[in-house]
Amino acid sequence: MPVTILEFDSRLLRHNPLGDPTQRRIPVYLPPSYPRRRYPVLYLLAGFTGFGEQYVQRSLWSENIVERVDRLIGERRMREAIIVMPDCLTRYGGSQYLNSTATGPYADHIAKELAPWVDKHFATTGRRGVIGKSSGGFGALYLGMKYPDVFHAVASHSGDMYFEYCYLPDFPKALDGLQPYGGIERFLRAWEQMPKRLAGGLHAVVNTLAMASCYSPNRRAKVGFDVPFDLNTGELRDDVWQRWKTFDPIDMLQPHRKALRGMRLVYLDCGNRDQFALHHGARIFAAHAKALGIKVRHEEFDDNHSGVSYRFDRSLPLLVRALSS
């Protein structure tokens, strides 16, 4: 199998506030002809509760990323590239690939620590793309917008955006799930002892708290972050919600339009029956981007949020072609 597993000890993740491991196992896919020449690099980001090694695990009835890329290259549908699969998992299920005082500097870990290390130790061209699905799709857009000197093309599959649709509906469910515990601290203590941490209605609670740890950190809060609603009444806290909104890819378009205009490719897709209404967000993003003069390749397909890794057949060849031209 053309994959090497890096045992990467991150300097930037040392002393992270959640006590998560600093040493991360990061798969790196090396193409068939490696190391005969230099190759562009793709950073492949996992979704919420996911991590890089999951991409290389065997799967029933579907290809893992190694099998998929080998096939695409063998069919001459995709040029060769190195693919790096970071591990940005946190105690709460994910970092959204952001820098946060509540979780750690995961954006810098990828852009300022991992990317230079890969270029130093592998035969790369220095051209990089970033791609992901769901939270990974959000991360791809975020990293592209914030680090345009590092990443030169982005692809987002079913990425988190238009927070009013994808996150707000979970807030009342999260509130109901927290109230029997008497607050976030007690919930987290009980949750960490549960045998099934996403059973029943727990997903809404855990996802909301995880997103809050990324979007609204607060060093002065007991848990290190603020939630965007009042824990007693459920009323939306506008000040906290606005902090979340600054990370919405749609709200980030205007201030980061120059970065996206300079990308070799901005690819966006989503199923038209996405359970988290992300297809609406993708449509809004594409329309706003077009109005700002940003060239976006936006595609929609007949499916939902789950089991759509086959869409990598579309994005991976496009990304590598853009980085190779």
Side-chain angles (χ1 to χ4, degrees):
M1 182 178 288
V3 170
T4 181
I5 304 293
L6 300 180
E7 295 283 352
F8 191 87
D9 191 11
S10 170
R11 179 184 59 83
L12 291 179
L13 296 182
R14 291 175 192 169
H15 311 298
N16 70 79
L18 296 180
D20 288 321
T22 61
Q23 185 158 314
R24 302 296 175 114
R25 289 173 56 84
I26 302 173
V28 179
Y29 169 87
L30 300 174
S33 71
Y34 189 87
R36 296 176 194 166
R37 56 185 178 83
R38 294 189 173 272
Y39 308 82
V41 183
L42 302 183
Y43 288 80
L44 178 58
L45 310 182
F48 184 59
T49 71
F51 48 95
E53 277 192 284
Q54 290 178 323
Y55 277 119
V56 299
Q57 294 171 355
R58 293 179 60 195
S59 180
L60 181 65
W61 299 326
S62 64
E63 298 169 305
N64 65 21
I65 197 66
V66 175
E67 295 163 338
R68 184 176 304 280
V69 173
D70 278 349
R71 173 178 56 79
L72 290 170
I73 291 172
E75 294 171 350
R76 298 183 181 276
R77 294 171 57 190
M78 175 179 168
R79 300 178 185 180
E80 291 187 332
I82 295 169
I83 302 177
V84 180
M85 294 157 256
D87 174 7
C88 293
L89 199 61
T90 72
R91 170 185 171 190
Y92 300 138
S95 65
Q96 292 298 94
Y97 306 95
L98 304 177
N99 294 333
S100 166
T101 59
T103 59
Y106 286 90
D108 284 350
H109 163 60
I110 295 176
K112 296 184 178 182
E113 184 177 48
L114 188 56
W117 192 95
V118 167
D119 281 352
K120 182 178 179 180
H121 290 86
F122 292 92
T124 77
T125 62
R127 290 182 180 174
R128 310 175 196 91
V130 58
I131 176 176
K133 187 253 180 176
S134 195
S135 285
F138 165 87
L141 287 171
Y142 178 83
L143 291 173
M145 285 191 266
K146 295 296 287 188
Y147 302 89
D149 55 330
V150 177
F151 300 105
H152 312 109
V154 301
S156 173
H157 294 278
S158 309
D160 296 7
M161 62 184 71
Y162 204 60
F163 290 0
E164 289 86 348
Y165 284 179
C166 70
Y167 295 142
L168 266 177
D170 270 353
F171 290 176
K173 301 172 191 175
L175 180 65
D176 290 342
L178 286 168
Q179 284 180 336
Y181 296 90
I184 297 172
E185 287 181 282
R186 290 183 179 179
F187 170 81
L188 289 174
R189 285 197 295 269
W191 173 68
E192 291 189 335
Q193 303 303 315
M194 294 179 187
K196 297 178 70 174
R197 295 195 189 181
L198 290 179
L202 286 177
H203 182 275
V205 184
V206 176
N207 189 70
T208 299
L209 296 183
M211 296 305 113
S213 72
C214 301
Y215 299 141
S216 50
N218 180 358
R219 293 181 186 273
R220 293 172 294 179
K222 289 184 178 180
V223 293
F225 58 85
D226 298 321
V227 291
F229 47 79
D230 186 284
L231 288 170
N232 294 313
T233 67
E235 184 176 7
L236 197 66
R237 296 175 61 187
D238 288 334
D239 58 332
V240 180
W241 177 241
Q242 288 308 310
R243 287 158 61 192
W244 280 46
K245 285 290 292 175
T246 62
F247 293 100
D248 191 323
I250 294 168
D251 290 72
M252 291 182 67
L253 273 170
Q254 174 69 28
H256 296 92
R257 61 192 183 279
K258 183 177 179 181
L260 289 180
R261 286 174 185 162
M263 289 288 155
R264 291 172 172 264
L265 175 71
V266 179
Y267 177 90
L268 192 73
D269 80 359
C270 193
N272 60 7
R273 294 178 280 115
D274 189 278
Q275 298 95 311
F276 305 101
L278 295 171
H279 51 301
H280 297 293
R283 294 169 186 169
I284 295 167
F285 183 97
H288 286 206
K290 182 179 179 181
L292 290 170
I294 301 166
K295 187 176 180 180
V296 175
R297 182 160 186 161
H298 172 228
E299 298 179 354
E300 201 166 284
F301 54 97
D302 186 25
D303 208 337
N304 58 30
H305 193 76
S306 307
V308 294
S309 59
Y310 60 87
R311 293 296 300 178
F312 287 140
D313 278 25
R314 292 286 296 154
S315 58
L316 289 172
L318 291 171
L319 271 178
V320 180
R321 186 185 308 158
L323 294 169
S324 301
S325 59

